[in-house]
Amino acid sequence: MIESFDIAKGPEDVPFYAGLLLMSYSLCQAVPTMYWGVLSDRIGRRPVLLIGLTGDLVTFVLFGLSKSFTWALVTRSLNGIFAGNSAVVKSVVVEVADDTNRPRMVALLPLMWNVGVIAGSAVGGLLADPVTQYPSIFGSWEIFREYPYLLPCLAGSLTTALGLVVGLFKLKETLVVGPAASAQDEAATEATPLVATPIADRAQSRSMLSLLTPTCRRVLALNVLMCLAISMYYHIYSMFTASPSRDGGLGLSERSIGISLAISSVVVLYMQLVAYSKLTLKYGALKCCQIGLQIMIPVFFAIPWLTMLASHIEQSMSGFGDRQPDPWPRQATLEYCVLWALLLLLLAVRMVGDILAFTSINLIVSNIAPSAASLGAMNGMQQFTGTCTRVVGPVVSGALWGWSVKHEHIYPFNSHLVWVLCGLLIAASWQLSLRLPSSVNVFASGQGQQ
């Protein structure tokens, strides 16, 4: 898409402009996130979700009509603004659930996200520039010749349109307002007014700063450290696996990298659909978060050592140059099979830790909200901090990776640097999680706690 705008002077400039598009989306998603959450506390979850779906639908189609980089940048930024209300979805899920099924329902959110990312990437690649890819079908469609990236945007907008229709006709308001809700939210005292104030009205008098209790600050700091480490990991993994062993990588082909991710992702289905809810009900969200963080620490320190095995394989196998062949080639040696077995094992263990830690932190953030009227604001603050790290993480990891492979330094300032930093961030997250009270396992909004 960037190449069609004729803004990049050469192929080496394309990643820069593609990064600007991604960064503009993330920044514009982060800025209004907290305000969407606060707005949903005041006017309700349903109208905010419908506004977001409508805006997302319109701006995504406009993005498909891009014929210049400026148009693409503006429409993508607007799309990010309306996508910022995704934190409201967490509030809805938490409010419609109860203590028996809340962990499982919260675990479904990242599962749906992962399915959407995989399906969206596939649809985008298959439907982009349909006139060129499928001339027998779309060769006579002038609109797709004029706007080669409109079709995948229209296809993606179908799911948004479906969500909008369901929201208009099926979604009910989940934020309970009125005297009954207030009676549950506050314990009656001599100072309690005879006529209770609706939650939505009282939410307007609560400032964002009033929600930042010591526990809340620790939870948000924990979320920042975790998100920063994982955003750095996701950005560096493709570079690590694709780079030759002399540059601290594994020298895998793009097909091999995709297969490694696909195989390890099988763990997601079992963990989020079956295991997580059982573990949370037995041990609590805080303990599951701590276990997940502990699991990931050794993984980040271990992954870069696979380069030594890849280097040995590269020297012993001839005819493949700097890159290794696709997985399980005819000439595959025992060492090559061991390399793949270790890589998949580490990826699977990391995925287990990821699900335990991040699903638990989502649950903990909802648990510490003092009332239903502040649930949107709490989820908004978490979404804001997480989105900001998705902007910072790739920049930091990319810069450190480039610096570390260009200079021959001793461990840990060699090609292990980014991985060591990810491990230290997760270790710091685990230490911080030990300072959280066990009360974060209790859904405060449902217990009437302030």
Side-chain angles (χ1 to χ4, degrees), residues 16-177:
F16 171 76
Y17 290 101
L20 284 181
L21 282 180
L22 293 174
M23 184 178 295
S24 67
Y25 177 84
S26 297
L27 285 175
C28 290
Q29 183 186 26
V31 172
T33 292
M34 290 189 293
Y35 299 101
W36 284 121
V38 173
L39 183 63
S40 73
D41 289 335
R42 295 179 176 178
I43 68 174
R45 318 294 187 208
R46 184 175 182 272
V48 173
L49 287 178
L50 294 179
I51 292 172
L53 287 170
T54 303
D56 181 79
L57 176 64
V58 174
T59 55
F60 197 45
V61 173
L62 291 176
F63 179 70
L65 297 174
S66 300
K67 297 187 67 176
S68 68
F69 181 76
T70 302
W71 179 276
L73 186 66
V74 171
T75 54
R76 191 60 174 156
S77 299
L78 291 174
N79 189 245
I81 291 175
F82 288 104
N85 73 349
S86 56
V88 181
V89 177
K90 297 180 184 178
S91 302
V92 173
V93 170
V94 170
E95 287 170 340
V96 299
D98 55 37
D99 293 338
T100 62
N101 61 9
R102 187 171 293 109
R104 184 171 186 177
M105 294 187 68
V106 172
L108 290 177
L109 289 176
L111 176 62
M112 296 300 102
W113 169 262
N114 290 329
V115 171
V117 168
I118 295 173
S121 299
V123 170
L126 291 172
L127 299 183
D129 196 6
V131 174
T132 301
Q133 291 200 76
Y134 314 104
S136 60
I137 301 176
F138 297 101
S140 60
W141 292 64
E142 288 300 323
I143 187 172
F144 295 132
R145 190 183 304 275
E146 184 77 10
Y147 304 102
Y149 300 98
L150 177 60
L151 183 59
C153 291
L154 290 175
S157 297
L158 289 177
T159 57
T160 306
L162 178 61
L164 183 59
V165 171
V166 172
L168 285 170
F169 296 101
K170 294 294 183 180
L171 180 64
K172 297 180 180 179
E173 181 56 61
T174 61
L175 177 62
V176 180
V177 297

